[in-house]
Amino acid sequence: MLPPPATEAGITGWLWHNIFESMADFHSPLAAMRSLFMILFSLVLVYVFGTQIYGLLDFAIFSAVFSDPDGVKREACWTVQQGGSLPDGWHAACWPFVVAKQKFALFGPFPSEELWRVYLALVAGAAGLAWVMIERLPFRRQAGFLMLTVYPLATFILLTGGNIEVAMTRVAIWFVFGLALISVGRLGNAGRLGTVVNEFAGSFAGVGWLVVAFSTVAAIAAFDFNLEPVDTGDWGGLLITLVVAVTGIVASLPLGIILALGRRSDMPVISVLCTIFIEFWRGVPLITVLFMASVMLPLFLPAGVNFDNLLRALIGVMLFSAAYMAEVVRGGLQAIDKGQYEGADAVGLSYWQKMRLIILPQALTHVIPGIVNTFIGLFKDTTLVSIVGIFDLLGAGQSAIADAAWSTPVQAITMYLYVGIIFFVFCFGMSRYSIYMENKLSKSRRH
Amino acid sequence: MAQTTTKNAQIDADDIMISMKGVNKWFGSFHVLRDINLTVYKGERIVICGPSGSGKSTLIRCLNRLEEHQAGDITVQGITLNNDLKNIDEIRREVGMVFQHFNLFPHLSILENCTLAPIWVRRMPKAKAEEIAMHYLERVKIPEQALKYPGQLSGGQQQRVAIARALCMEPKLMLFDEPTSALDPEMIKEVLDTMVGLAEDGMSMICVTHEMGFARKVANRVIFMDEGQIIEEKDPESFFNNPENDRTKLFLSQILDH
Ligand SMILES: Nc1ncnc2c1ncn2[C@@H]1O[C@H](COP(=O)(O)OP(=O)(O)O)[C@@H](O)[C@H]1O
Ligand SMILES: [Mg+2]
């Protein structure tokens, strides 16, 4: 066996194929011209990118002010001309400003002594997410189930304080009603009731479980855990961004799947309804949706019915992103060969089994890039909630900029850089995970 | 459901696997099946042949409701095929189907392809389903591929997996729709051998195929279709040696001569 030539292997090989091969051909005048052009072009590119990246690093790190030991605030970032001690013409990040506004940018006016609740929710969320995503860990399914059921409820109670106002007797009645439905379903399944009931036994049990689940959730949310209540009006910053984005992301996928299946349904009524829903929500800008939800909706509700501003915005975002997700999923469904449906039908799978076990796993795999693209878009679109007076990361950052105590020419740029970095980290993370998933799935399943 | 058969009307009803009476089907205004009458008895092996577009696939796809017929009666194992989902499910549990393009599930391993329906449709415990799956994979001679994915197998192997997948539901009847037409010549034999093995074990089969060697070897009856009609229906010996209809003769001369 011969070793591969140096141009085919290792770092040299990579450099050769990707960079130098295109500029090394001088065999004819034309080829030489082309190589020369490539060399010049590469040099220009290196120069342009180099200066840009250096400029950014210089602004953010090399020339930046990192501390304010004397506690002089804005004067720490003033040039001599402006009355401070930095050299004239200095233009770089003023990080002490961000440090001073850190709590506000991340959590808004959330009461400081209650912040441990937010930390707890965030740490639990990050740990749970990591557990679900890291493949070597055991019980990932169970972890995912907890993340979708217990975690949202726990987070809700931690962040708001729980203790919501519901009539406990009513909850108890619903609970018993749910249990009754389940029993009817059980008896029906065993064929002990009339034919009509037996036919619908499954639906009875299903609805029963839903009712029981909802009344349990309501009872827990109404329980007094002795936590200081925090109004959602006091939430802000990254906390709002995460709450809105995560709710939107988690709700949009299942809703989008159901809408996409509905739109492709054989039943005209369902298909038309889903199509109208999707086209309506895709046809209006998110800003309009948020505006309607927060300003117009209360006009139509009976006086005295007051429901939370954040909740209204959340519902708007959920429905809006569900419509987008539905179209992405529908694209995936269309890519599935008719033979897959027939194969599933022929072995006797029911409609839902066929979708869940055969069609959706393949359709969703096809459109992972589109799904993550929608997630990323949604994450960034959360900034629009500022329009209805909810202060997300960007909104909180912007109101921090208004603080005259830190007024310097670089105040705004520094804050925007900080906000931008945080957004980038989350969006880039999602993007990398999507690429990782795609590679993994294509390795294990394709030809 | 079995008690609602035409038991009283026909003495040998218990032996009937399939009965089609006056079946008609249209695709839009195109009349694809015309007045089909066909009775298949248990343990019978029927081969259907005919020119492309004559409605062979449509006919067998009507038997497990992949296509809906618009007129006439179809009963499978005494179960009437109508819009009742329960009947359709019951029939699909008893009827296995093998397609021209395999239609394996590419995101599931070979073993999972085979255990899926027993687990979800027959509600079989996973261990039991895997045992049965391995039994049938051995029977089609590819147990060693159980943990691979369909995309990693050759066409012939995929088609044998498709046969095993259908067998795992332990069906009473197998439908084959041109199971060898998408295969390279050297793989046709391994699939046909598997089907011959099945026939020898007494499985009821309806095969749409142009493999005349297979038809001679295993068929009880050969059916020739053209333009949506059953033109001729005979035992293989007389079908090949003295076909009556001119269209049958033409068809046979075309496929036997090349
Ligand atoms: N889903 C369909 N919609 C409309 N026409 C169809 C459909 N499926 C088949 N056909 C037509 O019906 C005829 C019979 O098709 P098929 O049963 O597949 O024939 P064969 O299997 O004998 O080649 C063909 O002319 C075909 O074009
Ligand atoms: Mg065909």
Side-chain angles (χ1 to χ4, degrees), chain B residues 22-49:
Chain B
V23 172
N24 280 280
K25 172 165 182 62
W26 290 262
F27 282 122
S29 58
F30 176 56
H31 200 168
V32 55
L33 292 182
R34 299 163 185 234
D35 204 27
I36 302 285
N37 290 294
L38 176 66
T39 307
V40 180
Y41 295 90
K42 286 183 183 163
E44 259 199 308
R45 299 173 295 276
I46 312 275
V47 163
I48 303 179
C49 58

Side-chain angles (χ1 to χ4, degrees), chain A residues 219-242:
Chain A
I220 296 174
F223 188 79
D224 186 0
F225 289 93
N226 212 0
L227 290 170
E228 192 66 27
V230 179
D231 190 80
T232 57
D234 289 338
W235 301 8
L238 181 63
L239 175 61
I240 283 282
T241 300
L242 288 178

